[in-house]
Amino acid sequence: MNKKVQFADWGLQDYQDAWNRQEEIFKSILDIKHDNRVNEAHTETSNYLIFTEHPHVYTLGKSGHPDNLLLDEQGLEEKQATFYKINRGGDITYHGPGQIVGYPILDLDNFFTDIHLYLRTLEEAIILTLADYGIPAGRYPGYTGVWIDPDNDKARKICAMGVRASRWVTMHGFAFNVNADLSYFGNIVPCGIDDKDVTSMQRELGREVDINEVKDRLKNHLADLFHMELI
């Protein structure tokens, strides 16, 4: 099993361009697995961990409802935002500057073949990263993602998740609010949940946070939890 993971930070990148790049990597891994199965080959599959930020964009997952976007085309234009229906799980979410968007493209055959455990492990990496900054966080029963005060009526989401997997290869991932402009969440029903708030590290700490430092801490927690070797 190959536990080496190629890390890349794509910086600020257009959502469609990033999606296309993900799909190319995703397909290349699936092609290797198909060849291994059909031709009894033994080619090792690669793994990737990608961090990026996007210009303002709303994405709707396969199980989402279009009515959860509260803007029409003119409203999107006024907000300088775009909208995409995409092939991950989950409902609608927002991506924008100041948010760490993580795209682990992993062959889980190299780690563990359990999507539930995969999601919980991503969540745990975010929870540990927040703990590094003195922000207690946890899980909200029945929902994926990471929450602040998940056990009371002040529960607020700080990291959304939505993944796609085929033959144990993953894509899409998580959106972690560090210094994100939270006003953009007012234009959607985030993840289809209309009675819970959304927050960020900046809001919780009352100051802007060094996003590159957060990336480094998060990357290290992911490496530890997945027992991966980042290259």
Side-chain angles (χ1 to χ4, degrees):
M1 294 189 293
N2 177 26
K3 293 187 180 294
K4 293 182 178 179
V5 178
Q6 299 180 45
F7 174 76
D9 188 336
W10 288 351
L12 184 67
Q13 179 154 117
D14 174 78
Y15 185 83
Q16 184 68 64
D17 291 344
W19 189 8
N20 291 342
R21 290 177 72 179
Q22 273 194 88
E23 288 281 11
E24 288 174 8
I25 296 169
F26 183 73
K27 182 178 183 300
S28 71
I29 299 171
L30 288 178
D31 286 347
I32 290 171
K33 297 192 78 167
H34 176 76
D35 183 62
N36 284 345
R37 186 175 69 255
V38 172
N39 298 317
E40 297 185 359
H42 301 283
T43 306
E44 197 172 65
T45 53
S46 298
N47 307 287
Y48 300 81
L49 174 61
I50 296 151
F51 285 173
T52 188
E53 295 177 60
H54 295 306
H56 304 299
V57 60
Y58 297 103
T59 66
L60 182 71
K62 292 185 295 184
S63 58
H65 199 289
D67 287 349
N68 287 331
L69 175 65
L70 307 179
L71 296 173
D72 57 16
E73 288 187 17
Q74 181 179 345
L76 286 168
E77 187 174 334
E78 289 173 355
K79 293 290 184 180
Q80 297 183 311
T82 52
F83 172 67
Y84 293 95
K85 294 180 180 179
I86 62 175
N87 58 357
R88 61 160 170 79
D91 206 291
I92 196 165
T93 196
Y94 159 78
H95 299 313
Q99 184 186 71
I100 299 173
V101 180
Y103 295 134
I105 309 177
L106 308 177
D107 180 0
L108 291 182
D109 274 323
N110 291 321
F111 300 95
F112 48 76
T113 51
D114 185 329
I115 293 297
H116 178 82
L117 178 59
Y118 172 66
L119 290 168
R120 302 294 82 78
T121 306
L122 293 181
E123 290 167 349
E124 189 64 20
I126 301 292
I127 291 168
L128 291 173
T129 301
L130 289 167
D132 289 340
Y133 291 85
I135 303 173
R139 299 173 178 85
Y140 190 78
Y143 295 95
T144 59
V146 177
W147 299 72
I148 310 297
D149 290 330
D151 54 354
N152 62 50
D153 59 6
K154 294 181 180 178
R156 50 207 183 274
K157 197 170 197 176
I158 196 165
C159 181
M161 293 185 180
V163 304
R164 175 189 175 196
S166 178
R167 299 177 192 163
W168 298 115
V169 181
T170 67
M171 65 175 288
H172 299 296
F174 59 84
F176 180 19
N177 298 327
V178 180
N179 302 313
D181 183 346
L182 298 178
S183 69
Y184 276 81
F185 285 97
N187 304 312
I188 60 173
V189 180
C191 302
I193 306 168
D194 60 6
D195 62 345
K196 295 291 182 290
D197 199 4
V198 177
T199 192
S200 67
M201 291 184 69
Q202 182 179 26
R203 177 180 168 189
E204 296 299 317
L205 294 172
R207 61 177 174 84
E208 189 170 335
V209 184
D210 183 340
I211 195 168
N212 289 319
E213 180 184 82
V214 178
K215 287 177 180 179
D216 284 341
R217 290 178 180 271
L218 175 56
K219 179 174 65 174
N220 290 335
H221 285 307
L222 286 166
D224 289 343
L225 290 168
F226 280 94
H227 306 291
M228 60 175 62
E229 178 187 347
L230 294 176
I231 57 176

